[in-house]
Amino acid sequence: MGPGLVTPAPPAPNSLTKHRDNNHAPRDIFPDGIRTSGQIEPIYSLLKPYDDFPSRIEGPTVWTRDDYVNNPEKWTHRFTPQEVDELSKVIDDFIAGGLPLTGISKDSFPLPLLGERLSSVRSDLLNGKGFILFKGFPTDAWGLHKSAVGYMGLDLGEDSTQIDKTRIYRTNARQFFHCDDSDIVGLLCVARALEGGESDLVSSHAVYNALRTERPDVLKTLIEPIWYFDRKGETSDGQQEWIRTSVFYLEPKEGGRVYSKWDPYYVRSLTRFSDKGLIPPLSVAQFEAIKVLEEYSHRLALHMILEVGDIQFLSNAHVFHARTAYKDYAPPQPRRHLLKLWLATPESEGGWKLPFADSDEKKKGWCAG
């Protein structure tokens, strides 16, 4: 299908709201001076056409299931007794100090032993395979509050001062392959489900290579800035309820890497606006791209089961993740409970350079169950 059939007219000038600097939020509302960024439109002048993208991506960010399924030692780390002792003492000191969770920082939460390992892990998340599974986090012994403080204190993103809220996420339906709206996402398993709720990960760069070879038509559709994403009510004054964006981007610099942003749920939920003619409906080419992207992701994915006390961290820049449907235990047994952590890695701290106004800004995130 030709581009003219799937590319909508550019939005009216007044539909793009001026970006607010996250780092200078009013302190009477945001005590640390950092506000949540939310979903914002890309800088359209920085988006590149299909012909500018690489014919193939090489390097450690490209992997498939076969590279890791029989080698868990390459992607897991069990906390040592020394690391647990260090973390426990720092948590206790932090709680005794009476600081709020937004007060967690390198100064208030020093981890000289574990910090060296976390620095290496952070580099691998951003520039390597993009995922790790920590094991042996003592959630049962510590309880939920102490576990949450320790989890937030693991310094893999822009400190933990961007964590501002905890909520319980109860949807038990299957989640299709997607990436969260943060640079790094973590999951701490507090309680497992009776059945299911297991994790699948895939290198979006491996998916890109497969599409480039086998379905370049689909890849072209995914690169076009024709995809409307639902803001789900997370808007500020003057903002639309959606953004128009792409699924695959290039970093706007020499030799820029391929970045991915995708969540089919946030794309499919916009019929309440397309039915009214406010935005274009999904085209035949887009429906095909959604189907093929899921199929290729599933084909190349690594399956992972999180036990109680496991922490999974992954990059949202070049890894898609999914979750199987699950069934909970009957009461009074505990329901499935995972804490989700969203972390930011600004450009100035080693993060990717992205075509967004907040690419080098600190951001708040969420800790969600």
Side-chain angles (χ1 to χ4, degrees):
M1 183 170 291
L5 297 179
V6 296
T7 305
N14 62 2
S15 70
L16 298 182
T17 330
K18 182 179 179 181
H19 172 66
R20 304 171 307 167
D21 185 352
N22 296 319
N23 300 346
H24 297 92
R27 289 183 178 269
D28 59 332
I29 303 175
F30 304 94
D32 55 3
I34 307 170
R35 63 157 60 90
T36 300
S37 177
Q39 297 190 69
I40 62 173
E41 299 93 349
I43 301 171
Y44 295 107
S45 61
L46 297 180
L47 302 187
K48 304 298 182 182
Y50 175 82
D51 290 343
D52 287 358
F53 280 68
S55 58
R56 184 172 182 81
I57 301 173
E58 304 286 352
T61 60
V62 182
W63 53 266
T64 67
R65 172 186 179 276
D66 293 341
D67 294 319
Y68 291 114
V69 66
N70 294 318
N71 302 288
E73 72 281 358
K74 293 183 177 180
W75 48 272
T76 60
H77 170 72
R78 180 169 292 276
F79 288 109
T80 67
Q82 293 80 12
E83 290 170 342
V84 172
D85 288 346
E86 177 186 66
L87 190 55
S88 180
K89 183 181 184 306
V90 174
I91 296 169
D92 291 342
D93 289 346
F94 180 85
I95 293 174
L99 288 174
L101 292 180
T102 52
I104 292 178
S105 68
K106 289 181 180 179
D107 292 334
S108 66
F109 210 92
L111 296 170
L113 175 63
L114 189 54
E116 292 185 16
R117 183 176 300 279
L118 294 175
S119 178
S120 174
V121 167
R122 185 179 187 274
S123 177
D124 189 52
L125 288 173
L126 292 174
N127 306 308
K129 61 183 177 293
F131 68 97
I132 189 171
L133 184 67
F134 285 107
K135 302 186 75 69
F137 194 84
T139 53
D140 286 341
W142 285 355
L144 186 59
H145 179 63
K146 182 170 179 176
S147 295
V149 173
Y151 178 37
M152 293 181 187
L154 297 177
D155 181 28
L156 290 172
E158 170 48 46
D159 292 338
S160 289
T161 55
Q162 71 267 24
I163 306 306
D164 65 346
K165 176 175 298 192
T166 303
R167 58 180 179 170
I168 303 299
Y169 188 71
R170 294 189 173 92
T171 302
N172 64 354
R174 175 190 174 194
Q175 286 187 325
F176 295 96
F177 283 95
H178 66 285
C179 43
D180 289 10
D181 197 31
S182 65
D183 299 321
I184 294 172
V185 60
L187 285 174
L188 166 61
C189 182
V190 177
R192 284 193 60 186
L194 172 63
E195 298 174 2
E198 297 169 0
S199 180
D200 291 300
L201 310 179
V202 68
S203 161
S204 64
H205 286 177
V207 174
Y208 173 98
N209 284 346
L211 292 174
R212 183 86 187 203
T213 300
E214 302 169 18
R215 292 297 306 267
D217 59 317
V218 166
L219 187 57
K220 288 179 181 177
T221 300
L222 294 170
I223 287 172
E224 287 190 78
I226 58 173
W227 296 88
Y228 286 80
F229 280 65
D230 198 341
R231 277 191 165 118
K232 292 290 181 182
E234 296 179 4
T235 58
S236 299
D237 291 344
Q239 288 183 326
Q240 302 279 22
E241 293 291 335
W242 59 81
I243 61 170
R244 179 173 64 88
T245 185
S246 302
V247 177
F248 287 106
Y249 301 82
L250 270 181
E251 284 186 291
K253 65 179 185 179
E254 187 68 27
R257 295 166 292 185
V258 175
Y259 167 78
S260 51
K261 177 183 176 68
W262 176 240
D263 191 330
Y265 177 65
Y266 282 75
V267 170
R268 290 181 178 273
S269 63
L270 284 168
T271 52
R272 66 189 190 281
F273 298 118
S274 60
D275 287 349
K276 297 176 181 178
L278 298 175
I279 61 173
L282 290 168
S283 68
V284 172
Q286 286 176 291
F287 276 116
E288 174 72 359
I290 292 171
K291 178 177 74 73
V292 171
L293 186 58
E294 180 68 19
E295 290 172 352
Y296 276 57
S297 296
H298 183 74
R299 187 179 87 189
L300 300 172
L302 174 70
H303 190 68
M304 189 180 297
I305 298 175
L306 272 64
E307 306 288 349
V308 174
D310 285 358
I311 302 176
Q312 176 196 80
F313 283 108
L314 59 88
S315 166
N316 281 310
H318 54 95
V319 175
F320 294 144
H321 60 282
R323 188 201 68 201
T324 63
Y326 68 87
K327 178 181 178 181
D328 262 323
Y329 289 96
Q333 292 289 102
R335 298 164 60 96
R336 180 182 184 271
H337 190 183
L338 279 80
L339 293 181
K340 177 181 285 187
L341 186 64
W342 288 351
L343 299 171
T345 54
E347 292 172 37
S348 57
E349 299 181 10
W352 287 38
K353 182 178 178 63
L354 302 175
F356 295 93
D358 64 350
S359 181
D360 196 26
E361 293 180 11
K362 301 177 182 180
K363 310 178 187 71
K364 279 187 177 291
W366 298 83
C367 180

